Amino acid sequence: MSEDHQTPSPEEPATAEATADRTVDFVSLKALAHPLRIQLLEVLSSYGAQTASSIAQRLGESSGATSYHLRQLAKHGFVREVAGKGTARERWWERPPGSLTISTPDLASNPASREVARLVNHEMGVQRAKVLEDFLDQSLDVLPTEWTEASMIATLHTHLTCGQLAELTKETETFLRSRLDKYRGQQGEPGTRPVQIQFNAFPIVDPRRPTDGNQSPSLST
């Protein structure tokens, strides 16, 4: 599973830094396996650079807790301080551009790392589901009509081979990345809002069908 973040901080020009995709190792994965740390990543991905205090206010947590967990994430390269901004007492944090691949065949082959990957992927799924649920529940009340009309929630069904599914997901990822590249650096521009694009393509788990193996798919965020 992958988690993708492609928006530079407001201070960076759109072409200042290429995305650096990363496959997370077991040690770093264990450091990520905490619900609040996943939430911190989600906030930085959605809203850009923040301080521990601003994230604490958004999440209803103490600034001491968010500050501690941000420092732990920074040790493993999941977040970084914003250069030239903030003070020793009030640091600004951002998420580096690029995707995080959480589940790989190597991690899946080890019971301990597979369980940690399952926990991280589950929490990321919870956060994605909450964002979607908030939109479905509140969008008609809090967003202008043109924003709800521009949005799309769709479910498509088909039957594919494993190879066809891999081809479809790769082509879709490539297309989305190429389209999003031209919108880099727009954070904070008049008329923009944070937008989350969720793309899921996976085989339906059917309890009536025997399993074909226990290897987990590679997931990106």
Side-chain angles (χ1 to χ4, degrees):
M1 184 174 290
S2 300
E3 172 78 15
D4 203 359
H5 173 57
Q6 298 197 36
T7 305
S9 64
E11 292 76 17
E12 293 178 319
T15 59
E17 180 180 9
T19 59
D21 297 339
R22 171 184 175 188
T23 298
V24 180
D25 60 34
F26 183 35
V27 173
S28 296
L29 190 63
K30 288 193 294 183
L32 189 57
H34 188 289
L36 182 54
R37 294 179 188 178
I38 301 295
Q39 292 180 56
L40 296 177
L41 282 187
E42 289 295 322
V43 170
L44 293 175
S45 297
S46 297
Y47 301 104
Q50 304 281 319
T51 66
S53 297
S54 65
I55 297 178
Q57 292 175 355
R58 186 176 291 277
L59 298 179
E61 297 282 345
S62 70
S63 58
T66 56
S67 178
Y68 169 78
H69 287 293
L70 283 166
R71 293 196 302 272
Q72 297 308 305
L73 288 172
K75 287 182 180 180
H76 296 273
F78 292 115
V79 305
R80 64 188 180 189
E81 285 191 59
V82 179
K85 188 171 184 178
T87 64
R89 297 187 61 183
E90 188 75 308
R91 300 177 180 179
W92 283 79
W93 301 90
E94 65 184 358
R95 179 177 167 185
S99 67
L100 300 175
T101 297
I102 304 300
S103 297
T104 66
D106 286 343
L107 291 175
S109 66
N110 180 297
S113 59
R114 181 163 59 184
E115 182 59 27
V116 175
R118 182 181 289 118
L119 291 172
V120 171
N121 284 327
H122 177 267
E123 187 59 34
M124 286 183 169
V126 168
Q127 294 303 314
R128 288 171 175 164
K130 183 180 185 304
V131 172
L132 178 58
E133 182 180 0
D134 288 346
F135 172 78
L136 294 174
D137 288 347
Q138 304 175 35
S139 60
L140 294 178
D141 298 323
V142 302
L143 292 176
T145 302
E146 59 266 26
W147 278 93
T148 58
E149 291 181 346
S151 304
M152 176 182 179
I153 307 295
T155 300
L156 305 174
H157 292 271
T158 189
H159 287 252
L160 301 172
T161 66
C162 182
Q164 290 167 343
L165 176 59
E167 181 181 44
L168 174 65
T169 56
K170 184 62 177 178
E171 289 179 352
T172 303
E173 179 187 22
T174 300
F175 171 75
L176 288 174
R177 286 188 179 225
S178 66
R179 294 293 293 174
L180 291 175
D181 276 345
K182 70 177 185 178
Y183 302 127
R184 289 181 185 277
Q186 291 191 153
Q187 183 183 325
E189 292 293 323
T192 64
R193 288 176 178 268
V195 172
Q196 184 172 109
I197 299 170
Q198 299 188 7
F199 170 68
N200 305 305
F202 53 88
I204 296 173
V205 177
D206 185 351
R208 297 186 179 184
R209 178 168 178 165
T211 59
D212 298 320
N214 61 0
Q215 291 296 308
S216 297
S218 176
L219 298 176
S220 300
T221 326

